[in-house]
Amino acid sequence: MGVGDLLAAMKSLVINGIEATEVAVEVDLQNGLPNFAIVGLPSAAVKEAGERVRSALKNSGYDFPNRRLTVNLAPADIKKEGTQFDLAIALGILIASEQLPAPGEDQSPFLAAELSLDGSLRPVPGILPMALQLAEHHPGATLIVAEANQAEAALIQEIDSRCAPHLSSICEYFKEDTPLPPVQPLPPEETQAGLYDFSEVKGQATAKKALLVAASGMHNMLMIGPPGSGKTMLARRLATILPEMSREESLETTRIYSVAGLLNQHRSLIGERPFRAPHRNASAASIIGGGRTPRPGEISLAHNGVLFMDEIPEFDRDVLESLRQPLEDKTVTIARAAATYSYPANFVLIASMNPCPCGFFGSDVQCRCTPLQISRYLNRLSGPLLDRMDLQVEVPRIAYEQLNSDRPAESTALLKEKVLIAREFQLKRFGMGRVRFNSQMQRHDLKRYCQLDEKGEQLLRKAFQARKMSARAHDRVLKLARTIADLERSDTIQMPHMAEALQYRSLDKKYWQPSG
């Protein structure tokens, strides 16, 4: 090879949103003053790879070339984030300096691991999206990861994933074709089934029925009531009556957790519906997603599950208003100067709040708040966001007799059976297309699937005019009535179904003034 020739090219991947993009790690070694440069839009963490690689090579018994060294990460117009290029850079340097033989182009593996200073391999986030990318475009390709990432890589069987504890193990693999051990999957994680059961909730029949409707059609819900009435207890049990996750849903959710770095060697697959309950002091970046290094937020971590926002008026106003677009589009897009990241956000929003700052307005306990304080507190929840809450339910204080009653309540198993029946109706109606749930129906779907009888039409017209409902509220009432009819195993929406749906939209007029 002459001076200036490309001496080595390894293969790795970079994460963009929840998708992976292939990256060629090109290493050029030339005579000249010693210098180490990494080009191709590298982040600070990628630039620091030079010092990690230098120490890892020396501590593994190899020489770091004292020459002019250039590493190009191609394509050069994609921002490179993360530490997964360390291993590819180290092996590229060894091949370029002829300390290792170059593998054939068809035999060159994809590499994704961070190097510690002693040469051992550390895990990196995003292995599952990388494996899915290779399975789709390069079936049978070899992916080498750290041992701590092996359970995650083992989820995708269409590629040949291998793991190694140390850089020297991979060097032996390149020298003598010493096989690396295949990745090993983890045993199924124990579920928390039975930990939260609806039979433990005393009273609150209306709130339970509303949660049943929310789970059946993926409708958002707001609970209003005094402290200690059971709002949090009810919300925590919603995920338990949602249908079991399919393989596709599990991989989709796990991919998000992988990118967020929330998987480890003891947890490789998200098998249960997520339940996320962020604190009210959380920032917009942690809820919506983004940050200096973009990562999925809580609304994406709740994908295919439940997002619970307790005391929702206490959240920052900017955070609440940022929820409006994801609630409609079921996805969130984070725009940056160098790139745009998109994360899925198809979740059920369950929110709770007190009716006033002290919590007892409208109950049988004396309220200490002034009308101005109550108005300011309630108006922290804007009209557009309130309009997106399909169900608005009052959760009153529990009477002593209800709390100590031995009367059996509906269990999670029984409620789950009802949800499955409603989901079967929706599956027959929509199939496996763009729309899966009643809450996702568009205008043309409403005309086709939400036909009302004469009495139901009259009731909706009167409510629309009397309450001065918006077009969005009108459509959401129709979707709600469709779900209630599905729970009753009815092919048509009848007047009682419409009446119940309107009942779930009545609290905004009880607590919020029309001007609010």
Side-chain angles (χ1 to χ4, degrees):
M1 292 184 181
V3 176
D5 289 340
L6 178 66
L7 298 181
M10 307 306 294
K11 294 186 288 188
S12 187
L13 302 105
V14 67
I15 299 298
N16 183 358
I18 62 168
E19 304 293 337
T21 302
E22 298 172 30
V23 173
V25 181
E26 303 170 344
V27 180
D28 182 48
L29 189 61
Q30 297 186 8
N31 293 324
L33 293 175
N35 184 51
F36 188 9
I38 299 178
V39 297
L41 281 185
S43 67
V46 177
K47 291 180 180 178
E48 292 172 352
E51 298 305 318
R52 292 193 297 271
V53 168
R54 187 192 303 271
S55 297
L57 290 179
K58 290 184 176 181
N59 291 327
S60 299
Y62 293 92
D63 295 328
F64 188 86
N66 195 26
R67 297 163 63 185
R68 184 178 182 84
L69 189 61
T70 304
V71 176
N72 179 44
L73 305 177
D77 59 342
I78 297 177
K79 181 72 174 178
K80 311 302 187 308
E81 300 275 0
T83 58
Q84 68 271 17
F85 304 111
D86 288 9
L87 182 58
I89 292 173
L91 291 172
I93 292 173
L94 292 177
I95 293 172
S97 60
E98 299 183 340
Q99 299 180 68
L100 284 181
E105 185 175 348
D106 295 336
Q107 299 175 336
S108 180
F110 287 84
L111 306 159
E114 178 185 332
L115 285 175
S116 63
L117 298 184
D118 64 356
S120 58
L121 269 59
R122 289 181 173 174
V124 295
I127 291 298
L128 180 57
M130 297 178 190
L132 288 170
Q133 167 72 11
L134 296 181
E136 182 179 355
H137 296 93
H138 304 282
T142 300
L143 174 64
I144 299 178
V145 299
E147 285 185 334
N149 279 137
Q150 64 173 321
E152 193 176 340
L155 295 173
I156 308 303
Q157 300 179 356
E158 290 80 6
I159 62 173
D160 180 23
S161 297
R162 304 279 169 165
C163 62
H166 198 275
L167 174 63
S168 58
S169 303
I170 304 176
C171 292
E172 292 301 317
Y173 168 75
F174 274 77
K175 282 181 184 177
E176 305 173 5
D177 200 22
T178 304
L180 294 172
V183 294
Q184 298 295 325
L186 284 177
E189 191 176 9
E190 294 185 5
T191 65
Q192 296 184 348
L195 186 60
Y196 300 108
D197 199 286
F198 268 95
S199 61
E200 300 169 343
V201 182
K202 300 295 184 179
Q204 305 298 6
T206 301
K208 286 182 181 178
K209 177 61 185 298
L211 285 170
L212 175 63
V213 175
S216 299
M218 295 289 282
H219 298 285
N220 303 319
M221 177 174 165
L222 173 66
M223 293 183 287
I224 307 175
S229 57
K231 301 185 294 294
T232 301
M233 190 177 188
L234 286 162
R236 285 192 175 277
R237 283 153 178 77
L238 176 62
T240 65
I241 63 174
L242 293 173
E244 301 296 331
M245 295 181 77
S246 65
R247 173 75 175 176
E248 178 186 356
E249 288 177 322
S250 291
L251 288 177
E252 191 176 30
T253 304
T254 304
R255 178 190 293 200
I256 299 170
Y257 278 71
S258 174
V259 171
L262 298 180
L263 297 179
N264 53 49
Q265 55 186 329
H266 305 296
R267 185 193 192 193
S268 61
L269 182 67
I270 306 298
E272 291 186 312
R273 298 279 177 184
F275 178 86
R276 305 293 299 185
H279 193 268
R280 58 179 176 265
N281 289 334
S283 65
S286 65
I287 299 286
I288 306 302
R292 176 176 294 181
T293 301
R295 288 287 183 269
E298 290 290 338
I299 63 173
S300 296
L301 296 174
H303 183 63
N304 290 322
V306 179
L307 177 69
F308 177 49
M309 301 185 74
D310 194 13
E311 294 300 330
I312 189 170
E314 301 295 339
F315 283 81
D316 187 85
R317 183 66 177 253
D318 291 339
V319 172
L320 296 181
E321 296 309 305
S322 299
L323 288 173
R324 288 157 55 177
Q325 178 263 332
L327 287 174
E328 293 288 341
D329 300 339
K330 304 302 181 183
T331 185
V332 60
T333 300
I334 310 297
R336 293 290 183 267
T340 300
Y341 306 87
S342 294
Y343 303 107
N346 187 12
F347 59 92
V348 179
L349 173 61
I350 304 296
S352 71
M353 61 180 293
N354 295 328
C356 67
C358 79
F360 297 107
F361 173 65
S363 70
D364 55 356
V365 178
Q366 181 65 38
C367 175
R368 305 189 304 269
C369 305
T370 66
L372 181 59
Q373 289 175 322
I374 295 173
S375 177
R376 285 178 176 174
Y377 179 81
L378 293 174
N379 286 327
R380 292 178 184 174
L381 203 61
S382 70
L385 182 59
L386 184 64
D387 216 23
R388 289 169 169 82
M389 308 303 291
D390 297 353
L391 299 108
Q392 302 160 11
V393 181
E394 193 166 21
V395 185
R397 286 198 330 128
I398 297 295
Y400 180 84
E401 290 74 18
Q402 289 179 310
L403 188 61
N404 291 277
S405 173
D406 294 329
R407 183 179 178 180
E410 285 185 308
S411 65
T412 288
L414 182 59
L415 293 175
K416 193 170 188 175
E417 288 181 9
K418 295 181 179 181
V419 171
L420 291 174
I421 291 172
R423 290 291 181 93
E424 287 177 6
F425 270 77
Q426 294 170 76
L427 180 61
K428 292 178 182 177
R429 181 180 302 124
F430 305 124
M432 298 298 290
R434 172 186 54 81
V435 176
R436 300 285 186 90
F437 312 108
N438 290 332
S439 62
Q440 297 175 338
M441 287 191 289
Q442 302 298 318
R443 238 353 185 127
H444 60 275
D445 298 314
L446 296 178
K447 293 181 179 180
R448 181 178 179 183
Y449 300 118
C450 298
Q451 296 294 328
L452 303 176
D453 58 18
E454 185 177 352
K455 291 183 179 179
E457 180 72 31
Q458 291 176 356
L459 181 61
L460 180 57
R461 183 187 298 111
K462 290 180 180 178
F464 184 84
Q465 295 172 350
R467 299 182 183 179
K468 297 180 175 58
M469 294 169 62
S470 66
R472 181 188 293 113
H474 170 272
D475 291 351
R476 288 182 178 268
V477 167
L478 281 175
K479 297 174 187 178
L480 207 56
R482 179 67 268 172
T483 301
I484 295 169
D486 289 344
L487 284 167
E488 299 294 332
R489 307 188 187 193
S490 174
D491 292 326
T492 60
I493 300 176
Q494 301 173 6
M495 197 271 286
H497 305 144
M498 178 55 64
E500 184 175 351
L502 289 169
Q503 176 191 353
Y504 291 134
R505 299 281 304 193
S506 60
L507 285 187
D508 54 347
K509 298 307 176 187
K510 177 178 178 179
Y511 289 99
W512 284 269
Q513 298 299 322
S515 61

